[in-house]
Amino acid sequence: MTAELASETARYLEQAEEYGAHNYHPLPIVVSEAFGAWVTDVDGKRYLDCLAAYSALNFGHGHPVLVDAAKAQLDRVTLTSRAFHNDRLGPFLEGLAKLAGKQMVLPMNTGAEAVESAVKIARAWGYRVKGVEPGRAKIIVAEGNFHGRTTTIISFSTDPEARADFGPYTPGFVAVPYGDADALAAAIDDDTVAVLIEPIQGEAGIIIPPDEYLPEVRRLTRSSNVLFIADEIQSGLGRTGATFQCDNAGVIPDLYLLGKALGGGIVPVSAVVGDADVLGVLRPGEHGSTFGGNPLAAAVGLAVVGLLESGDYQRRAAALGEHLRGRLEALIGRGVLAVRVAGLWAGVDIDPALASGRRVAELLAERGVLAKDTHGSTIRLAPPIVIEQDELDWAVDQLEAVLASLA
Ligand SMILES: *Cc1c(COP(=O)(O)O)cnc(C)c1O
């Protein structure tokens, strides 16, 4: 394989293979530059990015407003730690809280940290506010979930690849089938402090629950005094044609977990967003992060909030998504078994008799389209929202050509 690859690419692949831990299986493309929806590799070949770093690049590569905010901040101050205040953090916290219609924000860095933070907050809320007996707090999650890679988070993963050989596991979690409100209702008891779910399961293959599911989760959690935590790290911030996928479902969770696009594809920025009756349980010294809320992250995060305030990106994702849906549904029966589309986010189930998802992703890359397989034979499409409709059409044309070549 390596011998066929252009020389620059081969050199970088060998280096990464030799010196990097093998915890990923990337496509053999070495990116050196990117702008908007396009990336260029070290050999000068251009690709249309239809993954957008798993939605961390919702606003595209090098968005001028975000890059300007970062560059201006680099020249002022980049890190203070939370031992002091910084003049970017307050505006970011206020802007994000207001965007979400909530009172408070806990700033962290990675998505997994936002999830870990929410687990701690929910447990503390359970003991201090709900009155759960010490050590008994239970959090209900969904089968097929993806919430990150820390030891506690993989403890409640149902994916053997994510969990096996990494135990002993953190107790206190129960998994129920996703999209099944009755199963959730049956699992809630007096020790339950929270239900943690993705409004759409991204890594599982863009799994969209039945329309009544999220409203029913909201109703059940409210009536049993349980927190509803929505992990919108991948589904939020424009991707599904709304600020939050919960908006599309007409529900307001107690806590939003945000990450990925919140950092504009420039720096890791995550957050837990909620009202004071929940987030207010944290006391000084109980939780924190050296880099959480740093001025560079806050400056970029504030600029991201600014982009979302107009609603333009949300509307654009919704409109392009409808177009994408039409194009993808036309492929059903022609190498595609099923498609699931939410805004500019699609899971395309390739007929496994034709090829694996991995093989399709490789063939797409040869044709200049970057996409990623997930769970065997599903291809995930999540281009930057700045993509043009004719570019999106071109990407689907390439998928069509790949499928035809395999038939
Ligand atoms: C990516 C992701 C995470 C973890 O975010 P990291 O920044 O990789 O730690 C958590 N939840 C969901 C839904 C995600 O998509």
Side-chain angles (χ1 to χ4, degrees), residues 51-77:
L51 179 66
Y54 305 93
S55 291
L57 285 159
N58 279 359
F59 310 102
H61 296 270
H63 191 295
V65 169
L66 305 180
V67 169
D68 285 352
K71 281 184 175 165
Q73 194 58 40
L74 281 173
D75 287 333
R76 295 179 63 228
V77 57

Side-chain angles (χ1 to χ4, degrees), residues 127-142:
Y127 300 127
R128 295 171 190 173
V129 179
K130 182 168 174 166
V132 171
E133 291 292 311
R136 294 187 57 92
K138 176 171 121 181
I139 295 175
I140 301 175
V141 299

Side-chain angles (χ1 to χ4, degrees), residues 110-112 115 146-148 198 203 231 233-234 260:
T110 64
V115 176
F146 181 84
H147 296 287
E198 299 155 85
E203 300 303 310
D231 181 345
I233 290 167
Q234 198 167 156
K260 293 202 165 100

Side-chain angles (χ1 to χ4, degrees), residues 39-98:
V39 309
T40 307
D41 77 7
V42 286
D43 289 306
K45 181 171 176 182
R46 296 182 79 223
Y47 303 84
L48 185 59
D49 184 354
C50 288
L51 179 66
Y54 305 93
S55 291
L57 285 159
N58 279 359
F59 310 102
H61 296 270
H63 191 295
V65 169
L66 305 180
V67 169
D68 285 352
K71 281 184 175 165
Q73 194 58 40
L74 281 173
D75 287 333
R76 295 179 63 228
V77 57
T78 53
L79 188 61
T80 55
S81 84
R82 295 294 301 277
F84 315 106
H85 290 270
N86 72 72
D87 67 358
R88 296 291 83 207
L89 182 56
F92 168 56
L93 300 177
E94 179 178 356
L96 183 56
K98 289 187 169 158

